Amino acid sequence: MIFEDLPTTPTSEELIDKAFSRAARAGKAKGGLEAQQSMLQTAANIISDNLENVVTAWPDFAYEDDVDPFYYEIADAIVDVDRLRQSLSETMWASRKAREIHQEYQPKLRKTDIDTARKHRKQAFARLADIVEQIDDELLYINESRNDLRDLPEINPDEPTIVVAGYPNVGKSSFVNDVTNARGETASYPFTTKGIGLGHFERDHIRYQIVDTPGLLDRKPEERNEIESQAVSAIEHLADCMLVVLDPSGECGYPLESQLELRDAIAAQFEDVPVFTVANKVDRAEHWTADVETDYEMSVETGENVETVLDAAVEAIGYEPELPFEE
């Protein structure tokens, strides 16, 4: 996952202390003018290199090749991506300024007396420290963003993906767990207190991803807050097929009419992907409150038609892996 290996970003104080303490050790190993030159070069290089490494560790949000639209939307739901890009830009500016200060002062440390060289070196140190202190807020924001993003659950945007939606207690999680033949992996996104259910299964040696999104797609769009709405926009980039699960018996605690209204809202938002209406609990059909038009009916509890629903989703996706070019 693109955010999990991001390094910790140092504070301005930590970076200045590191640069100047290393410079002091470098100076002790030399003598005279050479010591002053070595100290300046060491301090400038540490500051410039560390700041550049902070920036280059991040993907470039300006290019889709670096950040999939799914992860861009997810990141922007959690942090302010525009603010983050600005902070990274300011940090790269500081890295370049550190090198410029080194290039400006290094000639002044040659062919002069030791007292003048020491004076120039101290001036350069003061300017280096000032540059780093100017971006203290930027470094703090970069590290806060790193902490917020690095523990995102790993969802692969390149894998064909089925998203399961519907009100709570209609059988979504049970379906995901059943078709993946294991307890679904659950991990929490920062924008919801409930875990995202994630599972995998294979068909014809192709791995499919199936996602249950409690806290996001279990209520109407007007009931979501801004962060949740953006998270749903991210899911739009991820979904290759939507399964909207209904409980016509009403045992879930929600009237069928409300479930159908949610289904219609989801279908409207995910209009670019196949959306199937799936009635669960067909084994309790005698308790259904009304007849409902569905694409499929199943019972997760008994297993009836579960594979049929899954096969229909796979067929609707129609995923074909990219094959090596053959002449």
Side-chain angles (χ1 to χ4, degrees):
M1 204 270 289
I2 61 175
F3 301 120
E4 65 182 351
D5 294 325
L6 291 171
T8 302
T9 302
T11 64
S12 60
E13 183 178 359
E14 290 170 343
L15 183 53
I16 291 169
D17 287 346
K18 177 181 178 180
F20 290 171
S21 62
R22 295 264 188 96
R25 290 199 296 271
K28 289 179 180 179
K30 308 285 184 178
L33 295 179
E34 190 177 0
Q36 302 303 311
Q37 294 169 18
S38 179
M39 290 174 70
L40 175 57
Q41 181 173 352
T42 299
N45 284 350
I46 287 176
I47 289 173
S48 181
D49 289 348
N50 275 263
L51 294 179
E52 183 177 356
N53 289 340
V54 166
V55 177
T56 57
W58 284 83
D60 191 337
F61 287 98
Y63 295 97
E64 289 188 2
D65 288 346
D66 272 8
V67 184
D68 185 275
F70 166 73
Y71 271 118
Y72 185 99
E73 294 279 358
I74 287 293
D76 203 32
I78 298 169
V79 303
D80 184 340
V81 167
D82 288 338
R83 164 76 194 282
L84 175 58
R85 289 175 63 183
Q86 181 63 33
S87 294
L88 292 169
S89 176
E90 293 290 334
T91 301
M92 185 58 83
W93 166 83
S95 173
R96 291 193 295 265
K97 289 297 293 184
R99 294 205 182 279
E100 291 175 7
I101 291 170
H102 173 246
Q103 293 169 359
E104 177 184 345
Y105 277 88
Q106 196 66 285
K108 297 179 181 181
L109 304 183
R110 304 190 189 105
K111 297 181 181 180
T112 187
D113 61 87
I114 187 63
D115 289 337
T116 301
R118 186 178 294 111
K119 176 183 176 181
H120 286 314
R121 192 266 303 162
K122 288 182 178 180
Q123 289 176 349
F125 271 27
R127 288 182 59 186
L128 287 170
D130 181 62
I131 290 297
V132 177
E133 288 170 352
Q134 285 185 50
I135 61 165
D136 182 57
D137 288 345
E138 315 309 327
L139 295 175
L140 290 174
Y141 189 74
I142 291 169
N143 200 55
E144 289 172 4
S145 299
R146 173 256 189 193
N147 292 339
D148 289 339
L149 295 174
R150 69 189 304 268
D151 292 329
L152 281 173
E154 185 171 356
I155 292 179
N156 186 350
D158 295 325
E159 286 187 350
T161 302
I162 300 167
V163 176
V164 184
Y167 270 106
N169 304 319
V170 297
K172 304 189 307 292
S173 298
S174 297
F175 174 75
V176 171
N177 292 336
D178 185 71
V179 300
T180 57
N181 297 319
R183 294 296 301 172
E185 175 189 344
T186 302
S188 293
Y189 275 96
F191 42 73
T192 176
T193 58
K194 301 177 182 179
I196 298 293
L198 176 65
H200 299 88
F201 65 93
E202 287 194 1
R203 284 289 188 278
D204 299 324
H205 307 292
I206 298 172
R207 191 166 101 142
Y208 291 81
Q209 195 167 235
I210 186 164
V211 179
D212 178 19
T213 55
L216 291 176
L217 293 174
D218 58 5
R219 57 185 180 275
K220 300 170 186 176
E222 60 269 21
E223 296 174 359
R224 301 173 193 142
N225 62 38
E226 183 177 351
I227 292 177
E228 290 169 336
S229 294
Q230 189 154 351
V232 173
S233 295
I235 299 295
E236 285 187 73
H237 294 290
L238 185 71
D240 296 302
C241 180
M242 292 287 303
L243 299 179
V244 181
V245 181
L246 307 178
D247 175 8
S249 73
E251 294 176 358
C252 63
Y254 299 93
L256 180 59
E257 181 180 357
S258 297
Q259 296 181 58
L260 291 172
E261 288 176 359
L262 179 63
R263 185 275 313 274
D264 293 342
I266 291 172
Q269 183 158 8
F270 289 80
E271 59 183 358
D272 293 331
V273 300
V275 178
F276 293 144
T277 302
V278 181
N280 188 28
K281 305 182 183 180
V282 70
D283 55 311
R284 304 176 203 173
E286 68 274 13
H287 299 297
W288 286 12
T289 57
D291 292 332
V292 55
E293 290 188 10
T294 63
D295 296 300
Y296 297 95
E297 297 176 356
M298 69 177 182
S299 170
V300 176
E301 185 171 333
T302 66
E304 183 178 351
N305 288 337
V306 168
E307 288 297 319
T308 300
V309 171
L310 196 64
D311 288 342
V314 168
E315 184 176 354
I317 292 173
Y319 180 79
E320 295 185 6
E322 293 185 7
L323 299 175
F325 180 77
E326 296 181 2
E327 295 184 4

